[in-house]
Amino acid sequence: METLESLRTLYDQPFLSLLTRARSVHVAHHPESEIQRCELVNIKGGGCPEDCRYCAQSARHTTALAPHKLLDAPSLLRAAEEARAHGATRLCLGAAWRGLKEGDGRLEEVCRLVEAIRGEGLEICVTLGLLGPAAARRLREAGVTIYNHNLNSGPSFYGKVATTHTFADRLSTLRAAREAGLRLCSGGILGMGESVDDRLEMLQALLELDPAPESVPLNLLVPIPGTPLASQPPVNPFDLIRLISVTRVVLPRSRIRLAAGRRSLSLEAQALCFLAGANSLFIGERLLTTPNASFDADRALFETLGIEPSAPESCAPFRR
Ligand code: SAM
Ligand code: DTB
Ligand code: SF4
């Protein structure tokens, strides 16, 4: 198992050596130019009781976001069809909740939504907050195949990310999802004021889940006016590329998603992220509450780099 020191040694090697190493690991395990396309739908927006300092949807911050109730099945079906027409293979449904327990009426409502789109040929990922084992099993039964729950940062920094739940709560949700037979999607956010070691501690925690998540989204903080992190300075793209490279070396088979914040990166910086091992992204006009890279910008990106779309993946969790 990797120690923080060994991850740091990997991270600190000369940039081009690290990039070359990551690329060689990448091509040994993945098709060279293939990138998975995922699309997000915010099925329930805003009004969340948690205090995550980065989040537009926390009821504890005064942001411009108008909360909305759970989407109805026909609207979700339309969104799923549009996502497929855009070329997405995975649909990720997000809800601004603390979490769900078995017996909560909202769990059954989400299951009905999932059942409404399970014939659409998309992988269905949901991100609903903290989850216990029975709720995770119920979602699996309804047709969910992936659970997204980001660790967001390392354990030492987590107290500065949120105080209404703990890092350990997040880990136990991931374990419950895994035990229910769900694939895991878990990563984090760069740019909240954390150190490089905090980011590597997060990576270490993902590795310790053993098997580690099949998907690792790496988000750049999208600063939201009205949140405590509204004025955070932007992340140096080389720090992101280094983190993607280290993640690729230690998690050779996982998909690494260049997630939120892609709009703030040049085409050249995105190309280096893919060279370092990122092989998944969000397409579509919106993330959850903020704009995403435009279809025109993405068309130029895919054409310039000769990127090919991936096929939908099998549902079985993989073993390392
Ligand atoms: N409530 C659920 C939870 O916390 O897991 C699901 C929704 S939550 C908005 C999903 C993830 O989006 C967060 O864990 C975080 O990684 C990411 N996210 C939210 N706001 C963000 C922001 N402003 N910038 C970057 N990533 C963000
Ligand atoms: C992930 O890692 N990032 C996505 C998805 N998984 C749920 C969310 C990004 C949200 C960016 C800010 C917003 O749109 O509110
Ligand atoms: Fe936002 Fe999720 Fe935190 Fe709620 S639990 S404030 S939706 S990140």
Side-chain angles (χ1 to χ4, degrees):
M1 193 47 74
E2 305 290 339
T3 62
L4 188 59
E5 291 66 38
S6 66
L7 292 174
R8 188 73 214 212
T9 305
L10 196 55
Y11 185 94
D12 284 335
Q13 61 183 296
F15 181 75
L16 295 178
S17 311
L18 176 58
L19 197 61
T20 307
R21 169 124 184 240
R23 182 65 180 164
S24 72
V25 172
H26 187 82
V27 297
H29 293 89
H30 302 271
E32 287 202 20
S33 299
E34 181 236 58
I35 296 199
Q36 177 192 51
R37 299 171 198 204
C38 311
E39 199 162 313
L40 283 160
V41 183
N42 205 12
I43 57 170
K44 190 270 170 188
C48 181
E50 298 304 282
D51 68 352
C52 309
R53 295 174 80 223
Y54 52 82
C55 188
Q57 306 200 75
S58 164
R60 301 180 189 238
H61 319 315
T62 309
T63 68
L65 184 79
H68 71 80
K69 291 207 184 100
L70 196 62
L71 215 64
D72 55 56
S75 310
L76 181 62
L77 197 55
R78 256 194 320 277
E81 283 162 2
E82 277 170 20
R84 220 189 27 217
H86 299 151
T89 55
R90 178 177 293 193
L91 197 66
C92 180
L93 312 181
W97 287 325
R98 177 172 205 273
L100 286 181
K101 294 199 179 90
E102 214 204 13
D104 184 331
R106 298 174 305 172
L107 177 62
E108 287 312 310
E109 289 183 73
V110 171
C111 289
R112 278 196 289 279
L113 286 179
V114 169
E115 280 154 8
I117 56 165
R118 69 183 286 180
E120 291 301 299
L122 292 158
E123 300 166 48
I124 305 175
C125 174
V126 297
T127 179
L128 313 169
L130 303 172
L131 218 58
R137 283 194 296 273
R138 180 68 194 98
L139 290 169
R140 180 75 188 92
E141 242 172 58
V144 171
T145 55
I146 307 119
Y147 199 74
N148 165 260
H149 197 62
N150 290 338
L151 291 180
N152 283 323
S153 193
S156 316
F157 190 74
Y158 203 78
K160 295 206 170 75
V161 176
T163 65
T164 47
H165 60 265
T166 62
F167 187 80
D169 290 333
R170 291 223 159 219
L171 279 177
S172 69
T173 291
L174 289 171
R175 290 202 194 92
R178 177 62 90 198
E179 274 162 28
L182 291 159
R183 291 189 150 213
L184 299 186
C185 172
S186 185
I189 305 178
L190 285 75
M192 299 184 290
E194 75 289 346
S195 66
V196 169
D197 279 354
D198 291 320
R199 295 171 191 162
L200 296 176
E201 272 189 16
M202 174 186 85
L203 187 52
Q204 210 184 5
L206 293 175
L207 285 166
E208 277 167 14
L209 285 170
D210 197 18
E214 286 82 358
S215 290
V216 179
L218 295 174
N219 298 272
L220 292 172
L221 176 75
V222 180
I224 312 279
T227 63
L229 299 183
S231 306
Q232 278 297 306
V235 171
N236 180 336
F238 284 98
D239 293 345
L240 170 66
I241 298 159
R242 277 186 185 273
L243 190 69
I244 293 173
S245 304
V246 172
T247 306
R248 172 50 68 226
V249 172
V250 298
L251 287 174
R253 295 179 60 209
S254 300
R255 278 209 184 260
I256 302 173
R257 184 169 315 124
L258 180 53
R262 216 157 50 76
R263 279 175 102 225
S264 66
L265 294 174
S266 67
L267 203 146
E268 292 85 347
Q270 292 185 67
L272 284 173
C273 291
F274 300 135
L275 202 62
N279 57 352
S280 174
L281 42 70
F282 287 120
I283 57 164
E285 309 253 275
R286 290 190 81 68
L287 295 166
L288 290 174
T289 70
T290 61
N292 191 19
S294 71
F295 284 116
D296 282 350
D298 278 354
R299 205 166 299 120
L301 176 76
F302 299 147
E303 272 174 28
T304 307
L305 304 182
I307 287 173
E308 288 155 17
S310 64
E313 282 164 2
S314 89
C315 298
F318 69 53
R319 300 281 149 197
R320 278 204 300 160

